[in-house]
Amino acid sequence: ALGLHRIFPRAGVYARPVPGKPLQLEWLSGACLAVPREDFLSLGGFDERFFVYNEDMAFGRRAREAGRTLRLRTDILVPHLGGGSGGAKTRMFQMRGASMIKYIADQNSPLATSLMRISLSVATVLRMIQARLEGHRDLARAHAAYLRGMWRGEPDMS
């Protein structure tokens, strides 16, 4: 939330793997995830209460809690163009914000959830301002939608 991934690029949610160098992570993206079917099912699969990334995080948490080790294969590279999870960008970002707060609330106390929501909100507002100042209006709108999702929930799909 504070942009520390720029100082520590191999830690946190935005860790960037270096090909050929091992990296220990708490969860792996489902964009290209290989798990034996029996293990996936025994761990409960993806939690459908969460959307875009948070179901991956929840699965990773359950795997770790079950004593499993998550291994990122940095010797295999799979290109990912991104943006393939559906919907208009602002709707997607609002859904992601809502899902993030659902996941955080699922794993933490109300006080911790409130503190994390505030931290994420401050960081998102700063990103939104930066995007606007740099002339990236679409990105600024996407950050605004993420913020809406964190505070108002998912957009009305009707």
Side-chain angles (χ1 to χ4, degrees):
L2 301 175
L4 295 177
H5 63 284
R6 292 182 178 138
I7 298 168
F8 305 104
R10 293 174 49 81
V13 174
Y14 300 105
R16 297 281 182 224
V18 175
K21 289 191 176 183
L23 181 60
Q24 186 71 28
L25 298 171
E26 294 184 359
W27 64 278
L28 302 171
S29 170
C32 183
L33 182 67
V35 180
R37 184 176 194 279
E38 310 79 51
D39 292 346
F40 185 77
L41 294 175
S42 73
L43 291 168
F46 288 131
D47 189 330
E48 293 183 10
R49 294 176 300 153
F50 309 120
F51 178 75
V52 186
Y53 303 123
N54 302 103
E55 75 275 24
D56 305 6
M57 293 171 91
F59 181 78
R61 179 182 288 269
R62 287 193 313 278
R64 287 189 326 277
E65 288 171 350
R68 307 292 171 79
T69 301
L70 304 177
R71 190 172 62 159
L72 179 65
R73 295 286 307 265
T74 59
D75 59 322
I76 300 172
L77 302 178
V78 179
H80 186 296
L81 297 176
S85 296
K89 190 172 193 172
T90 55
R91 182 185 307 169
M92 285 289 294
F93 269 72
Q94 186 169 344
M95 291 170 75
R96 284 176 59 187
S99 183
M100 178 60 84
I101 293 305
K102 270 191 228 172
Y103 176 75
I104 289 170
D106 189 61
Q107 300 299 323
N108 297 280
S109 70
L111 176 61
T113 298
S114 294
L115 293 173
M116 286 184 243
R117 184 191 316 247
I118 290 166
S119 287
L120 286 168
S121 296
V122 168
T124 303
V125 166
L126 293 173
R127 282 191 204 98
M128 185 173 60
I129 291 168
Q130 179 183 11
R132 179 68 81 154
L133 290 173
E134 292 175 351
H136 303 293
R137 290 179 176 246
D138 285 347
L139 184 56
R141 281 193 283 274
H143 289 313
Y146 188 83
L147 197 59
R148 270 193 311 279
M150 286 194 293
W151 290 95
R152 295 187 197 160
E154 294 183 15
D156 181 13
M157 300 305 249
S158 57

